[in-house]
Amino acid sequence: MCKVLRHEEFEEGCKATCNGPYDGKWSKTMVGFGPEDDHFVAELTYNYGVGEYRLGNDFLGLTLQSSRAISNARRLGWPLSEVGEGVYLAEAPGGYRFYLLDEEQPQKDPVQKVSLAVSDLQCSTHYWSTLLGMQVLERSSEKKSVLLAFTDSQCKLELCDVGGPVDHGTAFGRIAFSCPREQLPEIEALMKKENQKILTPLVSLDTPGKATVEVVILADPDGHEICFVGDEAFRQLSAMDPNGNALLDKAMEADKSNEWFAKHNKQKASA
């Protein structure tokens, strides 16, 4: 079962733009099927003053192996469309796509892959495999895609050539990996040497009451943001919080931003 792993509140924008280029109060909620050490986890970011975001074509979806998820969607009346044999498409609030495989949910992480759009498959494959060190597991000339991973046991990354520019909209998502802290300066130095874009050089980020982590944030040839975080401190920060659900419920109950905007006859900004 997917569950809330931790919830954190911040009074001002992140200096590494973890909440996008937005100032002001924000929160993040980590959700997944198990601990962040060995599961893919989604970070849900909420900017209190933003009412909606414009989606681009950059994030193509998550693929999840779970007949149970399909059954749950049908039971709740959530719209499903069959897009292949035993493959169903569901859209989360905001339009994010989930592809559900009608197979028994595995004991390990059921999240099979994350799919990103690229404009030049050869260039992007070189970046992610040669520079970042991911293994190429599959190539599909029919789908114009490449499947990569750091290890076979991880959630996979699928790069799909969309035959044109990649539009990131205004939601500003990113993908993150943990690695030994000692590798962070090496990653930054390699990207400088190769004249690749570094969005945030090595920096420390504080979380109130929790561990301080160090990160380097890059951008691939299409502007997909990639965060590498020091593993040692991240393991402390990412420990599952048994109070995560309660903290999220409390924050949602305390959030009166919609009422404030309605009272003043205003609408939240559209990013």
Side-chain angles (χ1 to χ4, degrees):
M1 178 182 295
C2 191
K3 52 193 171 186
V4 173
L5 302 174
R6 54 189 171 101
H7 175 82
E8 294 150 7
E9 294 280 331
F10 301 86
E11 292 301 320
E12 57 185 18
C14 174
K15 61 184 176 182
T17 63
C18 302
N19 62 314
Y22 306 109
D23 295 325
K25 187 176 180 180
W26 65 287
S27 72
K28 67 178 178 183
T29 306
M30 311 302 288
V31 295
F33 288 87
E36 294 177 57
D37 280 356
D38 53 10
H39 287 73
F40 175 86
V41 171
E43 176 177 319
L44 306 181
T45 302
Y46 176 58
N47 288 292
Y48 280 82
V50 180
E52 63 180 347
Y53 302 94
R54 180 183 67 80
L55 295 186
N57 66 348
D58 52 346
F59 176 66
L60 300 178
L62 291 177
T63 297
L64 180 71
Q65 180 181 323
S66 177
S67 298
R68 184 189 306 172
I70 296 171
S71 298
N72 289 342
R74 286 172 171 159
R75 176 172 53 83
L76 296 170
W78 197 269
L80 286 175
S81 55
E82 190 167 8
V83 294
E85 186 175 350
V87 182
Y88 295 84
L89 171 63
E91 287 193 0
Y96 297 106
R97 294 179 176 181
F98 287 76
Y99 293 91
L100 308 178
L101 307 182
D102 194 5
E103 300 175 27
E104 184 178 352
Q105 186 169 310
Q107 293 295 319
K108 59 180 183 178
D109 192 357
V111 182
Q112 300 296 296
K113 64 183 179 182
V114 180
S115 301
L116 300 180
V118 299
S119 60
D120 184 326
L121 188 59
Q122 182 176 349
C123 178
S124 293
T125 302
H126 170 77
Y127 181 92
W128 287 88
S129 62
T130 304
L131 296 184
L132 294 187
M134 298 189 85
Q135 304 171 37
V136 175
L137 304 178
E138 294 178 14
R139 297 178 188 267
S140 171
S141 56
E142 180 183 354
K143 292 176 58 182
K144 295 183 179 179
S145 66
V146 170
L147 193 69
L148 307 101
F150 282 112
T151 68
D152 287 339
S153 61
Q154 278 186 330
C155 171
K156 310 304 186 289
L157 173 67
E158 182 181 46
L159 304 178
C160 302
D161 196 323
V162 293
V166 175
D167 175 14
H168 293 278
T170 59
F172 295 93
R174 67 174 50 143
I175 193 163
F177 304 94
S178 68
C179 65
R181 190 269 165 214
E182 63 188 25
Q183 292 182 8
L184 295 178
E186 298 171 6
I187 293 171
E188 183 176 335
L190 174 63
M191 292 301 147
K192 285 180 179 178
K193 178 184 175 184
E194 298 292 332
N195 294 316
Q196 298 295 326
K197 186 174 289 186
I198 299 172
L199 298 177
T200 304
L202 184 59
V203 66
S204 297
L205 300 178
D206 297 325
T207 298
K210 295 189 177 182
T212 295
V213 298
E214 293 178 278
V215 303
V216 172
I217 302 174
L218 314 174
D220 81 349
D222 285 297
H224 291 291
E225 297 187 13
I226 310 153
C227 176
F228 284 95
V229 55
D231 187 65
E232 296 83 354
F234 179 71
R235 284 181 183 272
Q236 299 176 44
L237 173 66
S238 63
M240 183 175 172
D241 184 353
N243 297 316
N245 252 319
L247 290 172
L248 175 60
D249 289 343
K250 181 180 178 182
M252 289 192 294
E253 184 177 351
D255 178 18
K256 305 297 183 183
S257 57
N258 286 331
E259 293 178 20
W260 187 93
F261 278 91
K263 180 179 178 181
H264 292 80
N265 198 27
K266 295 181 179 181
Q267 290 185 331
K268 281 188 176 182
S270 295

